[in-house]
Amino acid sequence: AAGVIQSPRHLIKEKRETATLKCYPIPRHDTVYWYQQGPGQDPQFLISFYEKMQSDKGSIPDRFSAQQFSDYHSELNMSSLELGDSALYFCASSLRGGDYGYTFGSGTRLTVV
Amino acid sequence: QKEVEQNSGPLSVPEGAIASLNCTYSDRGSQSFFWYRQYSGKSPELIMFIYSNGDKEDGRFTAQLNKASQYVSLLIRDSQPSDSATYLCAVNSQGGNKLVFGAGTILRVKS
């Protein structure tokens, strides 16, 4: 079965650079979520989209932005990167409401040096 | 206070024993509850979900929900070393726009 596809798997950036993470949800899933997970921490909700519109916003810095496109894939854009942005970034998808849970992608490991 | 609370562990059980993982949540309006398993450096994997008070069984896993006590648990029977992982309790917020995770409980199954 198709899963949530994230790219790239690993990314190394320098401070103050920009990064773009991509997410392709499971076909027919209309909602995409972005989470950030630091070492030894639980996943922290960043932002979600339903039918290409932002549906909820969590602890996402102003330096970050995201959008969902007409084909339902989503991109997380991160600018002015800081060392503290180093983390695993997960994308998840679900049908509206997420009643059956979210399916997570394999994640992008971002390292800021 | 976090919206979802879990004991961080580690919880150590011998192989073949029952592992009991617990979680409490603060939002009384929450409607759906999930248990995810996460191996180090990997993505969370859905194990169980439950909506109604009582027990729900799936193979070696049983989820238990008590909405009055705002408590959800996961029992793992016949624990195996491969069950060693971090178990994340997650609650779907009212409106269903996001899952809120607990800090996770580290489970170690010793052979």
Side-chain angles (χ1 to χ4, degrees):
Chain A
V4 178
I5 307 297
Q6 288 188 249
S7 67
R9 291 295 303 274
H10 302 275
L11 191 57
I12 299 175
K13 290 286 186 178
E14 295 188 354
K15 282 193 303 184
R16 293 179 288 279
E17 283 193 317
T18 297
T20 298
L21 279 54
K22 296 185 178 182
C23 170
Y24 295 84
I26 289 174
R28 293 185 297 280
H29 278 191
D30 49 24
T31 309
V32 169
Y33 314 83
W34 286 96
Y35 283 82
Q36 177 192 58
Q37 188 174 28
Q41 297 182 355
D42 53 292
Q44 294 294 313
F45 172 73
L46 294 178
I47 196 167
S48 62
F49 292 89
Y50 167 67
E51 287 290 345
K52 292 151 280 183
M53 299 287 289
Q54 181 182 307
S55 60
D56 204 346
K57 195 171 181 179
S59 51
I60 184 169
D62 292 340
R63 299 178 289 108
F64 294 6
S65 64
Q67 57 182 325
Q68 186 179 32
F69 295 87
S70 57
D71 64 351
Y72 293 96
H73 94 273
S74 178
E75 294 184 4
L76 177 65
N77 297 294
M78 310 159 69
S79 62
S80 302
L81 287 169
E82 302 173 356
L83 295 178
D85 296 328
S86 297
L88 268 171
Y89 289 83
F90 291 110
C91 172
S93 73
S94 77
L95 291 169
R96 174 64 169 162
D99 285 346
Y100 299 102
Y102 303 176
T103 302
F104 282 80
S106 299
T108 294
R109 181 174 293 281
L110 173 66
T111 302
V112 182
V113 297
Chain B
Q1 182 190 7
K2 278 180 68 78
E3 291 182 57
V4 181
E5 298 270 7
Q6 292 181 255
N7 187 326
S8 62
L11 172 66
S12 294
V13 300
E15 184 175 359
I18 295 175
S20 178
L21 305 161
N22 305 312
C23 171
T24 58
Y25 61 95
S26 60
D27 183 359
R28 282 197 171 274
S30 300
Q31 296 295 318
S32 45
F33 308 87
F34 306 87
W35 284 99
Y36 282 82
R37 177 176 63 197
Q38 186 175 30
Y39 296 109
S40 181
K42 303 296 185 182
S43 60
E45 174 192 7
L46 182 64
I47 299 296
M48 294 279 292
F49 60 87
I50 187 167
Y51 312 133
S52 305
N53 279 327
D55 295 359
K56 179 182 178 183
E57 186 175 319
D58 183 2
R60 296 187 296 113
F61 300 95
T62 298
Q64 299 173 317
L65 175 62
N66 183 326
K67 289 186 177 180
S69 301
Q70 295 174 245
Y71 173 91
V72 58
S73 66
L74 179 70
L75 299 177
I76 306 174
R77 290 180 298 280
D78 187 24
S79 296
Q80 301 298 308
S82 58
D83 294 327
S84 298
T86 297
Y87 288 80
L88 297 162
C89 173
V91 175
N92 208 347
S93 64
Q94 266 188 308
N97 292 329
K98 65 182 180 187
L99 273 184
V100 179
F101 285 88
T105 298
I106 298 171
L107 173 65
R108 293 182 181 151
V109 181
K110 295 183 280 190
S111 57

